[in-house]
Amino acid sequence: MTNRFSLAVHGGAGTILRRQMTAEKETAYHAGIKLALEAGYAVLEKGGDAVDAVVEAVCALEDNPLFNAGRGAVFTADGKHEMDAAVMEGTNRHVGATAGICGPRNPVRVARLIMDQSEHVFFGADAAIKMARDAGLRFEEDDYFHTEVRWHALQETLKLRAEGKESDDPARRHGTVGAVACDANGKLAAATSTGGMTAKAPGRIGDSPVIGAGTFADNQTCAISATGHGEVFIRYCAAHEIAARMRHRGESLAVAADHIVMEDLGKNDGSGGLVAVDANGNVSMPMNSEGMYRGVVTQDGRFETFIYRDDEPHQG
Ligand code: ASP
């Protein structure tokens, strides 16, 4: 027993540009992150399992239209939603992942279902949706996933693209939600869920459900959930590379995670960040972007949330 649990969550590296941030929005983002921390903390505090904690935390973020996952998922270039999600537990590397789904209210629960009920680890949309229906998971109609902010972002992005330009607004380019936890038994887990990138090509799959890229957990090293330019996170096997550096080079979580985010990703157009935890409950949340909605809670029940990189902890 480490008897020291911790949980970290993120709501994506696509933070609103500082000049567009208002006090009201800031409060809403801090509150959304805190709600997710509370959902996971409620599990861990009772001696619950790391997997349950990360799934509950991610569901809270998927239900919140502010974040790019579940209800607030961004639109593809053809105006649809295609959501990706994964969950992994660090004891025996059990995994469940799915890509390109729309309908289930909580894509992370579909990933969990796959992890718990299938001998396979990764299902495409049709099979995953059938499994979710058969299992009685909750579904929503298309209009549940339609938010004006995301629709507007799609129109703006398509307009820029037609002019041969790309948006440099991170809030439009990025977003994902995720959680990592170390429970009181030293067990690790990670979960990630996303709508992907605004105006992505239909069928495009990002790093979030790709194990070892956007999601990873192994009790020997760490649990990771990432957010950012998915193609680069996949090419650099970002999450697994952090675990590998810890295992083979003996690096601490903070050193390994920083290296990958600032060097491998940061110097190769891989803007974004991640939340990570090791088996002693140490948390690291590096980013090379202007911000990342994120928060952490440890056993002492102190909740801290952050938006921009250099923010002081917000204890709401
Ligand atoms: N990593 C996500 C993807 O590429 C998007 C993001 O987190 O910004 O699908």
Side-chain angles (χ1 to χ4, degrees):
M1 289 269 283
T2 67
N3 205 27
R4 183 180 166 208
F5 67 75
S6 53
L7 168 78
V9 307
H10 70 82
T15 46
I16 295 178
L17 293 170
R18 275 181 199 273
R19 63 172 188 275
Q20 286 168 6
M21 185 55 99
T22 62
E24 206 175 295
K25 282 184 196 161
E26 214 166 325
T27 304
Y29 279 105
H30 281 295
I33 293 291
K34 179 149 187 237
L35 208 63
L37 288 173
E38 284 169 346
Y41 184 81
V43 174
L44 296 174
E45 177 187 43
K46 286 190 254 141
D49 191 276
V51 175
D52 294 327
V54 294
V55 168
E56 291 315 311
V58 165
C59 282
L61 294 162
E62 287 177 335
D63 290 345
N64 187 331
L66 287 179
F67 302 105
N68 173 17
R71 184 162 192 199
V74 299
F75 289 91
T76 60
D78 61 356
K80 304 210 169 80
H81 292 103
E82 295 181 3
M83 301 174 214
D84 305 336
V87 60
M88 181 164 186
E89 61 118 325
T91 306
N92 41 27
R93 298 199 182 196
H94 279 163
V95 169
T98 185
I101 63 171
C102 185
R105 179 184 174 104
N106 294 109
V108 73
R109 290 206 194 280
V110 182
R112 173 82 192 258
L113 183 73
I114 292 166
M115 181 173 91
D116 288 347
Q117 297 194 355
S118 177
E119 59 178 303
H120 305 301
V121 301
F122 201 165
F123 279 94
D126 292 352
I129 285 174
K130 180 169 180 334
M131 283 175 75
R133 279 205 196 284
D134 292 349
L137 291 192
R138 186 162 167 189
F139 276 65
E140 300 290 348
E141 298 297 329
D142 283 355
D143 60 355
Y144 170 84
F145 300 103
H146 185 108
T147 56
E148 273 317 304
V149 174
R150 302 296 187 202
W151 184 250
H152 179 72
L154 173 65
Q155 305 314 318
E156 290 293 304
T157 306
L158 293 177
K159 205 167 100 201
L160 281 173
R161 206 172 271 179
E163 294 163 3
K165 299 182 204 147
E166 272 298 322
S167 169
D168 60 354
D169 179 350
R172 221 172 269 166
R173 292 185 61 198
H174 286 323
T176 282
V177 310
V180 291
C182 171
D183 67 25
N185 295 308
K187 178 177 165 185
L188 303 183
T192 312
S193 177
T194 190
M197 293 167 102
T198 300
K200 66 184 179 182
R204 176 266 189 190
I205 298 166
D207 60 312
S208 308
V210 177
I211 297 306
T215 306
F216 190 70
D218 176 11
N219 285 2
Q220 302 311 312
T221 51
C222 59
I224 310 268
S225 171
T227 167
H229 190 163
E231 282 69 12
V232 186
F233 282 66
I234 293 174
R235 287 190 202 116
Y236 283 83
C237 303
H240 181 265
E241 197 70 12
I242 294 169
R245 291 183 77 95
M246 292 174 72
R247 204 166 59 236
H248 299 305
R249 296 172 63 109
E251 288 182 357
S252 68
L253 176 70
V255 168
D258 253 36
H259 180 89
I260 297 305
V261 169
M262 306 315 287
E263 300 291 321
D264 290 18
L265 301 170
K267 294 190 174 160
N268 290 292
D269 198 27
S271 63
L274 50 87
V275 291
V277 64
D278 70 16
N280 290 318
N282 297 308
V283 168
S284 192
M285 304 191 286
M287 80 207 73
N288 58 43
S289 44
E290 188 185 19
M292 174 170 72
Y293 302 115
R294 63 201 185 281
V296 60
V297 61
T298 46
Q299 186 149 335
D300 52 17
R302 199 170 44 162
F303 291 79
E304 295 182 342
T305 59
F306 310 79
I307 297 179
Y308 298 104
R309 190 166 39 216
D310 304 323
D311 276 1
E312 292 298 321
H314 176 97
Q315 290 164 6

